[in-house]
Amino acid sequence: LEGHLVRKHEWENTTTKATNRSWDKVYCLVKGTQMSFYRDAKNAKSTPDQRFKGEPPLSLRGAQASQAQDYKKKKHVFRLRLESGGEFLFQAHDDNEMNTWISHINTQ
Ligand code: I3P
């Protein structure tokens, strides 16, 4: 699964808040148990090793995605909890797209 999402890094791990908590528009690509981020679709296709801000891919092993019911500032937002304790918020275009991401991530 791949597509544009707007991302906010909330937690580095269970105890440390992310230093950069601003929202970034990213192109997301889930391949197997890895989730990678790119500037755009073209980038993801042509240079898959050159990720957004040089970030390594996230491992979706033991990760869980669910709608961020407690986050009221934006709509269609889901939360990704990593096994490491890291947490991200992602805003999709609509609820349908959000649910597609949630179920896809949760079945990896
Ligand atoms: C962050 C930015 C985010 C905001 C976050 C700020 O500042 O305004 O939009 O999250 O709030 O730290 P900056 O762009 O200067 O990094 P929300 O949109 O969720 O409010 P936070 O520190 O409460 O996470």
Side-chain angles (χ1 to χ4, degrees), residues 25-62:
K25 191 181 175 207
V26 286
Y27 190 79
C28 308
L29 174 66
V30 171
K31 214 176 169 189
T33 58
Q34 289 199 327
M35 185 171 193
S36 296
F37 305 102
Y38 297 93
R39 217 155 23 84
D40 52 36
K42 200 170 143 241
N43 237 265
K45 209 172 171 62
S46 63
T47 49
D49 293 338
Q50 287 173 35
R51 296 179 177 81
F52 183 74
K53 293 183 177 172
E55 296 173 1
L58 301 179
S59 169
L60 295 179
R61 271 180 217 281

